[in-house]
Amino acid sequence: MTYLIPRIKPIYPLYRLNSDVFRIGAQLGITTEIEDEENQFWTLANLLNGKNQLDNILFGMRQKYPDLTNQDILDGITLLNDEGVVEESLPNKTANDRYIPNINYFSRFIDAHGDRFQVLKCQIKLDKSS
């Protein structure tokens, strides 16, 4: 998978439990807990903020952890994506504020391959048919 501007989904808080463990999410059944003694995933998760393009994420990770390869970092992003906590930022797409809660809710069910704004199109169709 090619990532452009991946981010941790904004509906999931990112927080530390202690120096070796952090969580993404805060709801029973949809929280991912990561043991991370070397803080590599913590650093990666913080770089996945929706502002950094993939090249900047790779550069930032290699600066801090020179032993990591680009493939190691991409594998880390893919692991987080497989956990369901990563999406593409899609900075050129916007939505009416009215639909943001729906988009955020349904983004929970897609990964970085999906487009959370497709929910908006479905919602608008439903509104027009009512």
Side-chain angles (χ1 to χ4, degrees), residues 6-26:
R7 69 178 181 181
I8 299 295
K9 294 176 183 178
I11 60 172
Y12 296 131
L14 178 65
Y15 58 98
R16 285 200 163 285
L17 292 178
N18 58 50
S19 62
D20 296 339
V21 180
F22 72 95
R23 286 184 180 164
I24 302 172

Side-chain angles (χ1 to χ4, degrees), residues 4-6 44 47-49 51-63 73:
L4 301 174
I5 307 174
L44 178 60
L47 286 170
L48 297 174
N49 59 19
K51 298 175 185 170
N52 294 317
Q53 293 184 359
L54 181 61
D55 289 343
N56 295 337
I57 294 166
L58 296 173
F59 179 78
M61 287 296 292
R62 284 192 324 266
Q63 286 287 101
I73 300 162

Side-chain angles (χ1 to χ4, degrees), residues 50-93:
K51 298 175 185 170
N52 294 317
Q53 293 184 359
L54 181 61
D55 289 343
N56 295 337
I57 294 166
L58 296 173
F59 179 78
M61 287 296 292
R62 284 192 324 266
Q63 286 287 101
K64 190 161 185 176
Y65 305 101
D67 292 340
L68 292 178
T69 66
N70 284 350
Q71 190 58 53
D72 292 333
I73 300 162
L74 289 170
D75 290 346
I77 297 170
T78 298
L79 183 106
L80 293 172
N81 184 48
D82 291 346
E83 287 293 317
V85 299
V86 173
E87 67 183 10
E88 277 295 333
S89 295
L90 305 173
N92 296 328
K93 292 190 175 187

Side-chain angles (χ1 to χ4, degrees), residues 109-126:
F109 302 103
I110 63 166
D111 62 11
H113 306 281
D115 181 345
R116 65 189 172 280
F117 290 95
Q118 290 298 318
V119 173
L120 175 62
K121 290 179 182 178
C122 294
Q123 182 68 43
I124 291 170
K125 287 179 185 177
L126 287 173

